[in-house]
Amino acid sequence: MPKYTVGMWMYSNSGGTAIQAKIVNQLRDRDIEAITDLNLGHANAHNGTITCHNVNMEELDAFFSYNAGQQTPYQVFLYQVLNESIPCLNSFESFSLSEDKLRTSHRLSRAGIRTPDYRLCNTKDKPMLKNTIREWGGRLVYKPTDGWGGMGIVKVEDERSLDMLIPFLDQTNIPHFYVERFINYDMTDYRIDIVDGEFVGCYGRQAPKDDWKTNVTSGGSVIRREPNDELVALAIKAAKVTGLDIAGVDVIYDQEHEEYVVLEVNGIPAFATPEQEAAGLTFNDGKIERIVNLIERKAIEKRASMQAALTSQL
C-alpha cells in the first residue's frame, strides 16, 4: 500500500501525456500513488465531500492541477473549495492572483518589482482613459484582467485609435478598463521557470515581423536564451511575492530605461514540447524532478498536520 495518494489533472497535448507519465513514475518510485485525470469539471460536491470519478478528493494528500486551457468557472470554484481541505499545487490563492493582471501587477509593484505602468479606469471615466494615453506618450496596451496567451490584448497607438476602441469595449459590459504603458523593447522576452523557489530553466519568445506580441499562441516563436543572475533573482522574487510554488515569469528589457520589467507571472507555465526539446530546450527533466519533490513535501506536510490535529484532541 502506498504511503501517500495524490490527484492529478494535466494537459495532454504538446507532449503533456509523456510529462504526466514521467511524474507518475517518479512518484511511484517514492511510494506515492498518483490518480490521474481528476478533472474538476467532472466532479460534484455533496454533503461535505467533493467526488471526482468516484475519488473522494478530500482524502487525497495533495492535488496537482496543471491545465491552463480548460479552466471553467465551475472548476475554479471547486478548486477554491478543495484547497480549503488539502494542499493544491499551486494554491488557489496564488493561482487566482496570477490569473488577475491587475492584482499581480499591484502586488509586484508594492514589493518593489518593476512592472509596466498600469491604470485601472472606471468605464464611465473616459476622460481619465484619454488623459492616460496623453500622459504615456500616445501609446498604451489594453488587456483583459484575466485570460492567457495574449487573447484580447490590443495595442493603442494614438488617441484616435482609442476613440475607435472604446465603443467596442463598451459593448463587452466589463466594469473597468485595465491599461498598461507600452514598453519600448526588442520584441523578445524571457520566460523563466521557477519551482519551489529554485530556478529550473529559461527560454525566450520572439514576436513575428508583423506583430509585437511574443506569445506563441499569437504567432510568436520560441528561441533559446540564457538568463543572467539578475534575471534569475528577479524571477525567484516575483514567484515568491505572488506565492506561486510553480511559476513562469515573463520578463522584457525596457530599452528606454535600461532595466528589466516583469510583464506577467504565469501559474501554469508549459513544459517544453518534444519539438522544443529537440531544438535544445532541455529543462523538462529538472522541472519534473522539482515538481515531484514539491508534491512529496506537500503530501508529507499534510499528513503530519492531520496527525498533529489528532494528537491535540487526545
mmCIF file of all heavy atoms in Angstrom, residues 40-66:
data_model
loop_
_atom_site.group_PDB
_atom_site.id
_atom_site.type_symbol
_atom_site.label_atom_id
_atom_site.label_comp_id
_atom_site.label_asym_id
_atom_site.label_seq_id
_atom_site.Cartn_x
_atom_site.Cartn_y
_atom_site.Cartn_z
ATOM 1 N N LEU A 40 -11.799 18.580 -12.381
ATOM 2 C CA LEU A 40 -12.858 19.065 -11.505
ATOM 3 C C LEU A 40 -14.121 19.433 -12.274
ATOM 4 O O LEU A 40 -15.186 19.585 -11.678
ATOM 5 C CB LEU A 40 -12.366 20.271 -10.700
ATOM 6 C CG LEU A 40 -11.323 19.956 -9.619
ATOM 7 C CD1 LEU A 40 -10.853 21.238 -8.944
ATOM 8 C CD2 LEU A 40 -11.871 18.985 -8.592
ATOM 9 N N GLY A 41 -14.016 19.536 -13.594
ATOM 10 C CA GLY A 41 -15.210 19.738 -14.396
ATOM 11 C C GLY A 41 -16.147 18.545 -14.351
ATOM 12 O O GLY A 41 -17.335 18.663 -14.667
ATOM 13 N N HIS A 42 -15.620 17.390 -13.971
ATOM 14 C CA HIS A 42 -16.428 16.176 -13.854
ATOM 15 C C HIS A 42 -16.745 15.845 -12.408
ATOM 16 O O HIS A 42 -17.270 14.772 -12.109
ATOM 17 C CB HIS A 42 -15.686 14.984 -14.486
ATOM 18 C CG HIS A 42 -15.342 15.187 -15.922
ATOM 19 N ND1 HIS A 42 -14.272 14.585 -16.539
ATOM 20 C CD2 HIS A 42 -15.938 15.963 -16.877
ATOM 21 C CE1 HIS A 42 -14.221 14.969 -17.809
ATOM 22 N NE2 HIS A 42 -15.221 15.793 -18.037
ATOM 23 N N ALA A 43 -16.412 16.747 -11.493
ATOM 24 C CA ALA A 43 -16.612 16.498 -10.063
ATOM 25 C C ALA A 43 -17.933 17.096 -9.591
ATOM 26 O O ALA A 43 -18.563 17.901 -10.277
ATOM 27 C CB ALA A 43 -15.457 17.094 -9.270
ATOM 28 N N ASN A 44 -18.351 16.682 -8.403
ATOM 29 C CA ASN A 44 -19.514 17.288 -7.777
ATOM 30 C C ASN A 44 -19.299 17.336 -6.270
ATOM 31 O O ASN A 44 -18.500 16.579 -5.720
ATOM 32 C CB ASN A 44 -20.807 16.518 -8.097
ATOM 33 C CG ASN A 44 -20.766 15.096 -7.579
ATOM 34 O OD1 ASN A 44 -20.969 14.855 -6.389
ATOM 35 N ND2 ASN A 44 -20.498 14.138 -8.464
ATOM 36 N N ALA A 45 -19.967 18.269 -5.632
ATOM 37 C CA ALA A 45 -19.853 18.445 -4.183
ATOM 38 C C ALA A 45 -21.193 18.135 -3.536
ATOM 39 O O ALA A 45 -22.240 18.626 -3.983
ATOM 40 C CB ALA A 45 -19.415 19.866 -3.854
ATOM 41 N N HIS A 46 -21.170 17.303 -2.476
ATOM 42 C CA HIS A 46 -22.410 16.902 -1.815
ATOM 43 C C HIS A 46 -22.095 16.469 -0.390
ATOM 44 O O HIS A 46 -21.189 15.659 -0.153
ATOM 45 C CB HIS A 46 -23.068 15.750 -2.580
ATOM 46 C CG HIS A 46 -24.349 15.285 -1.969
ATOM 47 N ND1 HIS A 46 -25.486 16.060 -1.958
ATOM 48 C CD2 HIS A 46 -24.673 14.115 -1.354
ATOM 49 C CE1 HIS A 46 -26.464 15.389 -1.373
ATOM 50 N NE2 HIS A 46 -25.992 14.212 -0.992
ATOM 51 N N ASN A 47 -22.828 17.058 0.569
ATOM 52 C CA ASN A 47 -22.699 16.669 1.975
ATOM 53 C C ASN A 47 -21.248 16.671 2.462
ATOM 54 O O ASN A 47 -20.788 15.720 3.111
ATOM 55 C CB ASN A 47 -23.328 15.286 2.209
ATOM 56 C CG ASN A 47 -24.846 15.331 2.157
ATOM 57 O OD1 ASN A 47 -25.440 16.404 2.245
ATOM 58 N ND2 ASN A 47 -25.465 14.180 1.997
ATOM 59 N N GLY A 48 -20.523 17.733 2.139
ATOM 60 C CA GLY A 48 -19.170 17.873 2.661
ATOM 61 C C GLY A 48 -18.105 17.100 1.929
ATOM 62 O O GLY A 48 -16.972 17.000 2.411
ATOM 63 N N THR A 49 -18.441 16.568 0.752
ATOM 64 C CA THR A 49 -17.474 15.761 0.007
ATOM 65 C C THR A 49 -17.443 16.190 -1.456
ATOM 66 O O THR A 49 -18.493 16.361 -2.080
ATOM 67 C CB THR A 49 -17.830 14.265 0.066
ATOM 68 O OG1 THR A 49 -17.851 13.849 1.430
ATOM 69 C CG2 THR A 49 -16.802 13.424 -0.688
ATOM 70 N N ILE A 50 -16.230 16.368 -1.986
ATOM 71 C CA ILE A 50 -16.059 16.593 -3.419
ATOM 72 C C ILE A 50 -15.605 15.273 -4.030
ATOM 73 O O ILE A 50 -14.572 14.716 -3.633
ATOM 74 C CB ILE A 50 -15.020 17.685 -3.704
ATOM 75 C CG1 ILE A 50 -15.487 19.033 -3.131
ATOM 76 C CG2 ILE A 50 -14.771 17.821 -5.211
ATOM 77 C CD1 ILE A 50 -14.484 20.149 -3.278
ATOM 78 N N THR A 51 -16.377 14.778 -4.978
ATOM 79 C CA THR A 51 -16.097 13.480 -5.593
ATOM 80 C C THR A 51 -15.832 13.663 -7.080
ATOM 81 O O THR A 51 -16.575 14.367 -7.781
ATOM 82 C CB THR A 51 -17.281 12.511 -5.411
ATOM 83 O OG1 THR A 51 -17.569 12.392 -4.021
ATOM 84 C CG2 THR A 51 -16.946 11.135 -5.961
ATOM 85 N N CYS A 52 -14.779 13.018 -7.568
ATOM 86 C CA CYS A 52 -14.462 13.041 -8.992
ATOM 87 C C CYS A 52 -14.087 11.628 -9.423
ATOM 88 O O CYS A 52 -13.128 11.042 -8.881
ATOM 89 C CB CYS A 52 -13.315 14.006 -9.265
ATOM 90 S SG CYS A 52 -12.927 14.223 -11.012
ATOM 91 N N HIS A 53 -14.815 11.063 -10.365
ATOM 92 C CA HIS A 53 -14.585 9.686 -10.818
ATOM 93 C C HIS A 53 -14.505 8.720 -9.632
ATOM 94 O O HIS A 53 -13.594 7.886 -9.532
ATOM 95 C CB HIS A 53 -13.310 9.597 -11.660
ATOM 96 C CG HIS A 53 -13.307 10.464 -12.879
ATOM 97 N ND1 HIS A 53 -14.402 10.600 -13.709
ATOM 98 C CD2 HIS A 53 -12.342 11.261 -13.407
ATOM 99 C CE1 HIS A 53 -14.117 11.420 -14.691
ATOM 100 N NE2 HIS A 53 -12.876 11.849 -14.540
ATOM 101 N N ASN A 54 -15.446 8.876 -8.700
ATOM 102 C CA ASN A 54 -15.550 8.021 -7.504
ATOM 103 C C ASN A 54 -14.380 8.172 -6.534
ATOM 104 O O ASN A 54 -14.182 7.324 -5.653
ATOM 105 C CB ASN A 54 -15.693 6.550 -7.899
ATOM 106 C CG ASN A 54 -16.953 6.281 -8.692
ATOM 107 O OD1 ASN A 54 -18.029 6.796 -8.361
ATOM 108 N ND2 ASN A 54 -16.834 5.488 -9.745
ATOM 109 N N VAL A 55 -13.597 9.236 -6.690
ATOM 110 C CA VAL A 55 -12.496 9.511 -5.774
ATOM 111 C C VAL A 55 -12.925 10.629 -4.833
ATOM 112 O O VAL A 55 -13.360 11.696 -5.276
ATOM 113 C CB VAL A 55 -11.227 9.933 -6.533
ATOM 114 C CG1 VAL A 55 -10.125 10.358 -5.552
ATOM 115 C CG2 VAL A 55 -10.751 8.795 -7.423
ATOM 116 N N ASN A 56 -12.802 10.382 -3.525
ATOM 117 C CA ASN A 56 -13.067 11.411 -2.528
ATOM 118 C C ASN A 56 -11.860 12.333 -2.499
ATOM 119 O O ASN A 56 -10.799 11.984 -1.989
ATOM 120 C CB ASN A 56 -13.295 10.777 -1.146
ATOM 121 C CG ASN A 56 -13.683 11.810 -0.092
ATOM 122 O OD1 ASN A 56 -13.379 12.996 -0.215
ATOM 123 N ND2 ASN A 56 -14.352 11.350 0.962
ATOM 124 N N MET A 57 -12.026 13.527 -3.057
ATOM 125 C CA MET A 57 -10.883 14.414 -3.241
ATOM 126 C C MET A 57 -10.278 14.871 -1.920
ATOM 127 O O MET A 57 -9.072 15.072 -1.812
ATOM 128 C CB MET A 57 -11.303 15.630 -4.074
ATOM 129 C CG MET A 57 -11.836 15.294 -5.457
ATOM 130 S SD MET A 57 -10.543 14.744 -6.595
ATOM 131 C CE MET A 57 -9.697 16.272 -6.941
ATOM 132 N N GLU A 58 -11.112 15.036 -0.887
ATOM 133 C CA GLU A 58 -10.585 15.492 0.403
ATOM 134 C C GLU A 58 -9.727 14.450 1.104
ATOM 135 O O GLU A 58 -9.004 14.766 2.053
ATOM 136 C CB GLU A 58 -11.725 15.919 1.336
ATOM 137 C CG GLU A 58 -12.245 17.321 1.093
ATOM 138 C CD GLU A 58 -13.475 17.333 0.191
ATOM 139 O OE1 GLU A 58 -13.813 16.280 -0.379
ATOM 140 O OE2 GLU A 58 -14.081 18.394 0.056
ATOM 141 N N GLU A 59 -9.794 13.203 0.651
ATOM 142 C CA GLU A 59 -8.964 12.160 1.257
ATOM 143 C C GLU A 59 -7.587 12.068 0.607
ATOM 144 O O GLU A 59 -6.730 11.317 1.074
ATOM 145 C CB GLU A 59 -9.678 10.810 1.165
ATOM 146 C CG GLU A 59 -10.914 10.730 2.050
ATOM 147 C CD GLU A 59 -11.592 9.365 1.988
ATOM 148 O OE1 GLU A 59 -11.162 8.544 1.140
ATOM 149 O OE2 GLU A 59 -12.542 9.145 2.756
ATOM 150 N N LEU A 60 -7.372 12.832 -0.466
ATOM 151 C CA LEU A 60 -6.061 12.853 -1.098
ATOM 152 C C LEU A 60 -5.067 13.619 -0.226
ATOM 153 O O LEU A 60 -5.441 14.473 0.577
ATOM 154 C CB LEU A 60 -6.147 13.526 -2.465
ATOM 155 C CG LEU A 60 -7.021 12.839 -3.521
ATOM 156 C CD1 LEU A 60 -7.182 13.750 -4.739
ATOM 157 C CD2 LEU A 60 -6.414 11.507 -3.938
ATOM 158 N N ASP A 61 -3.790 13.324 -0.406
ATOM 159 C CA ASP A 61 -2.756 14.040 0.337
ATOM 160 C C ASP A 61 -2.334 15.322 -0.368
ATOM 161 O O ASP A 61 -1.729 16.206 0.269
ATOM 162 C CB ASP A 61 -1.539 13.131 0.541
ATOM 163 C CG ASP A 61 -1.858 11.954 1.461
ATOM 164 O OD1 ASP A 61 -2.202 12.211 2.628
ATOM 165 O OD2 ASP A 61 -1.788 10.806 0.999
ATOM 166 N N ALA A 62 -2.635 15.455 -1.657
ATOM 167 C CA ALA A 62 -2.349 16.674 -2.409
ATOM 168 C C ALA A 62 -3.040 16.574 -3.766
ATOM 169 O O ALA A 62 -3.409 15.482 -4.211
ATOM 170 C CB ALA A 62 -0.850 16.890 -2.589
ATOM 171 N N PHE A 63 -3.215 17.729 -4.409
ATOM 172 C CA PHE A 63 -3.809 17.767 -5.743
ATOM 173 C C PHE A 63 -2.957 18.655 -6.627
ATOM 174 O O PHE A 63 -2.697 19.825 -6.308
ATOM 175 C CB PHE A 63 -5.240 18.299 -5.675
ATOM 176 C CG PHE A 63 -5.927 18.401 -7.009
ATOM 177 C CD1 PHE A 63 -6.045 17.294 -7.834
ATOM 178 C CD2 PHE A 63 -6.461 19.609 -7.442
ATOM 179 C CE1 PHE A 63 -6.683 17.380 -9.076
ATOM 180 C CE2 PHE A 63 -7.099 19.710 -8.661
ATOM 181 C CZ PHE A 63 -7.209 18.595 -9.486
ATOM 182 N N PHE A 64 -2.499 18.097 -7.755
ATOM 183 C CA PHE A 64 -1.650 18.812 -8.710
ATOM 184 C C PHE A 64 -2.485 19.110 -9.946
ATOM 185 O O PHE A 64 -2.832 18.220 -10.716
ATOM 186 C CB PHE A 64 -0.436 17.950 -9.060
ATOM 187 C CG PHE A 64 0.462 18.531 -10.118
ATOM 188 C CD1 PHE A 64 0.996 19.792 -9.988
ATOM 189 C CD2 PHE A 64 0.796 17.794 -11.256
ATOM 190 C CE1 PHE A 64 1.835 20.324 -10.954
ATOM 191 C CE2 PHE A 64 1.634 18.307 -12.228
ATOM 192 C CZ PHE A 64 2.157 19.575 -12.082
ATOM 193 N N SER A 65 -2.825 20.399 -10.134
ATOM 194 C CA SER A 65 -3.652 20.827 -11.260
ATOM 195 C C SER A 65 -2.782 21.602 -12.228
ATOM 196 O O SER A 65 -2.172 22.615 -11.862
ATOM 197 C CB SER A 65 -4.802 21.706 -10.759
ATOM 198 O OG SER A 65 -5.577 22.191 -11.836
ATOM 199 N N TYR A 66 -2.714 21.147 -13.505
ATOM 200 C CA TYR A 66 -1.787 21.760 -14.462
ATOM 201 C C TYR A 66 -2.388 21.734 -15.855
ATOM 202 O O TYR A 66 -1.926 21.029 -16.746
ATOM 203 C CB TYR A 66 -0.464 20.995 -14.437
ATOM 204 C CG TYR A 66 0.759 21.869 -14.646
ATOM 205 C CD1 TYR A 66 1.222 22.691 -13.629
ATOM 206 C CD2 TYR A 66 1.446 21.868 -15.843
ATOM 207 C CE1 TYR A 66 2.344 23.482 -13.798
ATOM 208 C CE2 TYR A 66 2.565 22.655 -16.032
ATOM 209 C CZ TYR A 66 3.009 23.459 -15.002
ATOM 210 O OH TYR A 66 4.116 24.250 -15.184
#
